[in-house]
Amino acid sequence: MSDTTQPRVIIRTGPASRRWLFAGLAALGALGVAYAIFESGRYAAGFSRLEAFRRQQSLRVQIRERDAAMQDLQRAAADLETLRTAQGIERSELSRTIGDLQAQVARQSQELTFYKGIVVQGASGPEVKVQEFAVSRAVTPGSYVIRITLVQPGRPDNVVSGSLLLVLEGTNGKDPVKLELPALTEGRMRDLPFSFRYFEHLTPEITLPAGVAPERLTLEVRSSRRGIAPISQTFLWSIETI
């Protein structure tokens, strides 16, 4: 009978393998000791990991609160800007309304003055009335076209004639000024003659001297007939926009 017993393999750890194992364990131990020394040093210096964690959490809360406060301030600033814009629009509209009311009051005051003049002159009424008045810019800088429409009130039975005088009032700096038609036309016109039965359009062009700020314009209608008193009407200076 043959011997079938297999030989046993025996692995033995040599000295080199043990040295590597010991070296690894020693390295791990050294790292552990070093970390323990590091933590001990931080603790000795007053560092606490728990305290650091609490501080970190506190800072995160403060950052969130700061961000929320900044968002609130941004919303408040946006609301304030919206309110400021709305107030600016309201002020602009209010100023425009006040200007329209002032112009309306001025026109009514002018009409009242005009009709008072009619009453003073008698029941027959005036021969000529200023029906329309407007100021627009001319092509030449500093020059303006005055558009005036004269009519004969009532039933126009005859041709009326006469002249129209024009006086501009305003300021030059802080000084008041009063300029008549010759000063506004460089001496080309002294008055504006008219002669019509139903109506007549007059469009004189005037030039303002440098520095003059106009405020109002007075028109004086003078009839060529004797015994007819002149009639004056004053208009606020307002540039017509086209």
Side-chain angles (χ1 to χ4, degrees):
M1 186 173 182
S2 61
D3 188 3
T4 60
T5 303
Q6 297 292 333
R8 290 182 299 174
V9 178
I10 300 174
I11 300 174
R12 298 186 179 186
T13 304
S17 300
R18 286 196 297 271
R19 284 197 300 270
W20 282 109
L21 178 61
F22 292 152
L25 293 175
L28 291 175
L31 289 175
V33 172
Y35 180 75
I37 295 174
F38 173 73
E39 289 294 336
S40 176
R42 291 203 300 179
Y43 181 79
F47 176 80
S48 172
R49 180 179 295 276
L50 180 60
E51 183 64 27
F53 177 77
R54 290 176 178 173
R55 178 62 177 169
Q56 185 180 24
Q57 292 299 110
S58 176
L59 290 175
R60 287 178 179 175
V61 172
Q62 292 178 12
I63 290 173
R64 286 196 296 269
E65 292 176 351
R66 182 206 60 187
D67 293 341
M70 289 180 62
Q71 291 178 356
D72 292 340
L73 289 174
Q74 289 173 352
R75 283 193 294 267
D79 294 341
L80 180 60
E81 184 64 26
T82 302
L83 178 62
R84 186 178 302 167
T85 302
Q87 289 177 344
I89 295 174
E90 290 178 358
R91 283 195 296 268
S92 177
E93 292 178 351
L94 180 61
S95 298
R96 185 162 52 250
T97 302
I98 291 175
D100 293 341
L101 291 175
Q102 288 176 340
Q104 183 178 355
V105 170
R107 287 194 298 269
Q108 292 175 349
S109 177
Q110 293 161 6
E111 291 176 359
L112 179 61
T113 303
F114 173 75
Y115 288 114
K116 282 182 178 179
I118 294 176
V119 174
V120 171
Q121 292 172 28
S124 59
E127 286 188 323
V128 178
K129 175 185 175 182
V130 179
Q131 182 70 25
E132 294 182 1
F133 173 85
V135 181
S136 59
R137 298 185 187 277
V139 177
T140 305
S143 298
Y144 301 87
V145 176
I146 312 298
R147 297 201 302 276
I148 305 167
T149 300
L150 302 178
V151 298
Q152 188 176 177
R155 290 186 58 184
D157 297 326
N158 299 308
V159 173
V160 293
S161 60
S163 61
L164 182 68
L165 302 181
L166 189 150
V167 178
L168 182 140
E169 296 179 77
T171 57
N172 190 348
K174 296 183 179 180
D175 301 325
V177 294
K178 181 181 290 187
L179 302 172
E180 297 183 356
L181 193 58
L184 298 171
T185 59
E186 298 179 350
R188 295 190 304 272
M189 301 180 186
R190 298 190 62 84
D191 55 21
L192 301 172
F194 62 84
S195 179
F196 64 93
R197 182 170 182 176
Y198 298 101
F199 63 88
E200 183 170 352
H201 297 299
L202 302 175
T203 57
E205 182 174 331
I206 65 172
T207 302
L208 299 182
V212 172
E215 295 179 356
R216 53 191 172 273
L217 201 61
T218 300
L219 306 179
E220 183 176 306
V221 181
R222 292 184 176 182
S223 174
S224 58
R225 291 176 56 189
R226 294 181 180 180
I228 303 297
I231 295 178
S232 297
Q233 282 186 259
T234 300
F235 299 88
L236 295 178
W237 182 270
S238 177
I239 306 298
E240 183 181 62
T241 57
I242 301 176

